[in-house]
Amino acid sequence: MTTDDWDSLADTFDQEPDHGLLDPVVRAAWARRMAGWLPGEPGRVLDLGCGTGSLALLAAEAGHRVTAVDRSPRMAALARAKLAGTDAGVLVGDATGPPVARQAFDVVLARHVLWALPDPEAALRGWASLPRPGGRLVLIEGVRSGAGLPAARLVAALGPLAERVHHERLSADPALWGRAVDDERYVLVARLAPARRHTEVVDVHLIVRRGDEVLLARRAGTGYGDGLLNAPSGHVESGEDVRAAMIREAAEEIGISLAPGDLRVALVMQHRGPAGAPRVGWFFEAEYGAGGVPVNREPHKCSGLSWHPLSALPDDMIAYCRAGFDAYRTGERFVIHWHEDGDPIAHLPAGPDRSVPLPATDRRP
């Protein structure tokens, strides 16, 4: 429907019992339901496709700060009049791109709006950016005379967007509609995921020095970078510090029993793989012979160990590891290595250098 269509319906819109809520019984039924869908504490509510503002008024009377939006100037004018005396604001705008800020609301409310949009799933993806982390979408929809959106379709669309979705059937409550109905009418209350602290995987990498040579392992059967060389390495496990993790990985991968005093920090690197998440790598140095002679203890993950001059490293290395060794050789101690999404995992001799050395303080107490 066009804006002109909605404008033409504005003057008679409230004649429907569930639109105007003019019947005290119907109004009380919606107020009771709204109390369960909205937060118990006063919050910011965005009513999209507000019509004449009946639900916006209920939210405002419950203590919420309401912003109501409708594409029809005539509907918005009637809503503005209905909400006079509250602190609610009414804006003219399209529900698919409302003139409001993102992450500014506790609730996004929409009644019988999605079914009229050309792409309801796209609208939901946009709406999910409007509440604050941990906020909610309250979506009242149904299927009447074959037109509308079945609940299952919207539940599926909300799956990637919401932490959980509550489905409440409304058809069986005649007080909401001023009469008994036998079609599908429902509300979905979608709780969005709360804000979470950023976390990163922590890696440890061992640079074993034999004079001017360093030890490398060729990956095999891991599903990532197989056939390429890297340093003996692994992930820090829960409860471990980075030094303990390096000692454990050295024993598991190359069979040496390092003591804490055998390790020196070579450098720290924050890295992002192609299309991947960031991680932090700690590179440690140990001299050949510390803890024993290296052997391949994981032949199912490594096809062999080999020694290479630090000044002439092979090209067939994992790019992340090669960048770490290059920084170590030149004396850098803190590095960012950030792949672009199209970059390969393997080191490219003629490719762009993604390493960004970070200056370290040389100040002494």
Side-chain angles (χ1 to χ4, degrees):
M1 295 177 66
T2 67
T3 300
D4 288 343
D5 293 330
W6 290 113
D7 274 343
S8 68
L9 294 174
D11 289 337
T12 59
F13 191 76
D14 279 355
Q15 292 177 9
E16 284 290 328
D18 59 306
H19 289 174
L21 308 186
L22 302 177
D23 184 332
V25 174
V26 175
R27 192 175 195 279
W30 279 99
R32 285 194 300 272
R33 296 283 184 148
M34 290 275 287
W37 303 334
L38 301 181
E41 298 296 322
R44 295 199 63 184
V45 175
L46 175 63
D47 185 357
L48 292 176
C50 67
T52 60
S54 296
L55 292 191
L57 179 59
L58 290 182
E61 290 175 343
H64 299 286
R65 184 179 176 187
V66 179
T67 300
V69 178
D70 202 279
R71 67 182 294 187
S72 161
R74 180 61 182 150
M75 290 279 193
L78 292 173
R80 202 170 286 116
K82 188 176 291 185
L83 290 160
T86 73
D87 64 355
V90 181
L91 305 173
V92 175
D94 196 309
T96 57
V100 297
R102 293 185 174 186
Q103 295 192 353
F105 301 92
D106 300 292
V107 179
V108 172
L109 167 69
R111 179 172 65 165
H112 303 155
V113 176
L114 281 170
W115 75 274
L117 301 180
D119 190 341
E121 285 79 6
L124 281 177
R125 290 193 293 272
W127 292 359
S129 70
L130 300 176
R132 299 184 180 98
R136 66 186 76 177
L137 305 177
V138 177
L139 310 172
I140 303 160
E141 289 291 341
V143 179
R144 305 186 188 192
S145 302
L149 295 170
R153 177 177 170 182
L154 292 189
V155 169
L158 288 166
L161 306 174
E163 193 170 53
R164 62 185 186 275
V165 179
H166 168 70
H167 174 208
E168 191 172 320
R169 187 169 173 266
L170 304 180
S171 307
D173 187 352
L176 292 170
W177 318 106
R179 63 188 184 280
V181 297
D182 58 5
D183 46 26
E184 182 184 8
R185 305 185 189 192
Y186 60 88
V187 64
L188 300 178
V189 181
R191 304 295 183 94
L192 305 181
R196 291 183 171 87
R197 291 183 182 273
H198 175 71
T199 60
E200 294 187 8
V201 171
V202 178
D203 298 327
V204 288
H205 306 256
L206 184 60
I207 302 172
V208 181
R209 292 293 302 264
R210 189 175 70 177
D212 293 333
E213 294 182 317
V214 293
L215 181 68
L216 297 177
R218 192 169 299 278
R219 300 175 67 88
T222 67
Y224 183 88
D226 290 334
L228 299 175
L229 292 163
N230 63 194
S233 58
H235 296 165
V236 176
E237 296 182 354
S238 178
E240 283 185 320
D241 61 49
V242 291
R243 187 172 61 177
M246 188 75 269
I247 291 171
R248 175 182 53 77
E249 289 288 349
E252 292 175 357
E253 294 196 8
I254 58 174
I256 62 176
S257 301
L258 295 173
D262 295 327
L263 292 172
R264 295 172 296 280
V265 176
L267 79 152
V268 178
M269 175 187 285
Q270 188 189 33
H271 162 72
R272 176 186 179 271
R279 59 180 59 211
V280 174
W282 284 70
F283 288 71
F284 289 90
E285 179 192 72
E287 293 295 331
Y288 176 73
V293 176
V295 295
N296 183 6
R297 291 288 303 275
E298 295 185 330
H300 57 293
K301 295 181 181 180
C302 171
S303 61
L305 304 176
S306 53
W307 294 93
H308 302 268
L310 182 61
S311 59
L313 293 170
D315 290 334
D316 56 338
M317 293 182 66
I318 296 286
Y320 169 26
C321 182
R322 174 59 183 261
F325 272 76
D326 287 344
Y328 165 73
R329 186 183 67 249
T330 58
E332 301 294 345
R333 291 296 177 258
F334 301 96
V335 180
I336 295 172
H337 185 262
W338 216 254
H339 273 303
E340 299 293 333
D341 286 348
D343 288 350
I345 296 170
H347 168 67
L348 286 182
D353 184 1
R354 302 301 187 192
S355 296
V356 179
L358 302 179
T361 180
D362 59 1
R363 183 181 301 166
R364 298 291 186 270

